[in-house]
Amino acid sequence: MAQRGCFITLEGLDGAGKSTHVAWMTDWLRQAGISLLCTREPGGTPLGEQLREILLHQAMDLRTETLLMFAARNEHWRTHIQPALAQGLWVLCDRYTDASYAYQGGGRQLGTDAIAQLDAWTQPGHGPDCTFLFDVPLAVARTRVQQGRGTADRFEQENAAFFERTRQAYLDRMAADPDRFRHIDASHGIPEIRIRLDACLQALVQHWQSRP
Ligand code: TYD
């Protein structure tokens, strides 16, 4: 039986520059000979992508938002991520459950209990093996979002206090599970960030491939 693949997630505030690095990390891993599923949340399945459109653009109650994030995630995990990992593929996912803790739990102040319950119910026993947190001061993230694309989605329209809470919730997640997280100072330029990512990915591949 194939060795289980490594499950990597990317997290950070809108405007942290995460999307810029996804393609580069995907290429890096493929060039290292790793078979990879590159995916995102909310989304990643036909149903999940429909839910993404609703989540990003339609006003709704916070519990509904949280349940829909987990509905999309459950579908994604069971039909795509888990089978891929079981076949030995690595999975690189742009946002995952930490985003629910950060955005719904922190930003929207739902707290962690409900999210922890949904997490335990939909995904007992297995989460990401490694999470890259692209962390920037809020002012940098806000400027990048404002300079970026056209219409802001429901999350990008939130105020500074929302994003301060979201960032803090990410940092709390990292403090609680330091072995899983790689902190990426995303206020640096792209070349410096790539040097850091390169080192992290090399170490991760070595570690994973030397496991018994
Ligand atoms: P993202 O893919 O980063 O958007 P973009 O296309 O702008 O790069 O994520 C979409 C938004 O969804 C983002 O603002 C964070 C939010 N989100 C949550 O609030 N909770 C979640 O569990 C997830 C996965 C995303």
Side-chain angles (χ1 to χ4, degrees):
M1 208 176 75
Q3 190 196 36
R4 183 176 70 76
C6 180
F7 182 19
I8 305 172
T9 56
L10 275 57
E11 298 285 356
L13 294 185
D14 299 270
K18 184 174 50 65
S19 336
T20 310
H21 300 290
V22 177
W24 189 85
M25 291 172 79
T26 302
D27 286 349
W28 192 104
L29 288 162
R30 290 197 170 131
Q31 277 170 25
I34 287 165
S35 303
L36 184 73
L37 168 68
C38 180
T39 184
R40 69 169 179 181
E41 290 211 349
T45 66
L47 174 61
E49 291 295 326
Q50 288 183 42
L51 292 173
R52 178 186 177 91
E53 275 308 300
I54 296 169
L55 279 160
L56 264 50
H57 302 294
Q58 189 171 313
M60 65 187 78
D61 177 76
L62 169 56
R63 287 172 192 234
T64 310
E65 178 180 295
T66 306
L67 289 166
L68 289 183
M69 288 290 179
F70 273 94
R73 179 164 304 128
N74 183 63
E75 189 69 10
H76 196 196
W77 168 253
R78 289 187 188 267
T79 66
H80 283 60
I81 298 177
Q82 191 178 38
L85 294 172
Q87 282 168 32
L89 265 68
W90 286 40
V91 175
L92 184 67
C93 190
D94 186 349
R95 296 195 186 284
Y96 201 65
T97 308
D98 293 304
S100 296
Y101 282 97
Y103 280 79
Q104 281 69 51
R108 298 224 196 276
Q109 299 179 284
L110 181 65
T112 53
D113 287 359
I115 294 168
Q117 282 177 30
L118 289 169
D119 189 13
W121 184 52
T122 53
Q123 199 177 22
H126 192 280
D129 298 295
C130 179
T131 299
F132 288 81
L133 177 58
F134 292 83
D135 182 41
V136 274
L138 187 59
V140 177
R142 299 299 279 165
T143 308
R144 286 183 188 160
V145 168
Q146 278 151 16
Q147 285 168 351
R149 309 148 284 199
T151 325
D153 65 41
R154 268 188 342 109
F155 297 96
E156 291 164 342
Q157 286 168 16
E158 284 296 338
N159 62 23
F162 172 93
F163 285 105
E164 285 291 8
R165 291 192 297 272
T166 303
R167 183 184 184 205
Q168 189 55 52
Y170 269 133
L171 294 173
D172 293 346
R173 295 286 294 162
M174 185 171 67
D177 196 358
D179 291 345
R180 172 165 66 93
F181 277 87
R182 306 288 179 274
H183 183 264
I184 307 297
D185 182 345
S187 59
H188 288 153
I190 292 174
E192 283 162 287
I193 294 176
R194 284 186 179 168
I195 290 169
R196 167 101 172 107
L197 292 176
D198 178 75
C200 290
L201 288 172
Q202 277 193 44
L204 183 63
V205 169
Q206 266 173 21
H207 165 73
W208 200 261
Q209 290 178 345
S210 64
R211 290 178 346 138

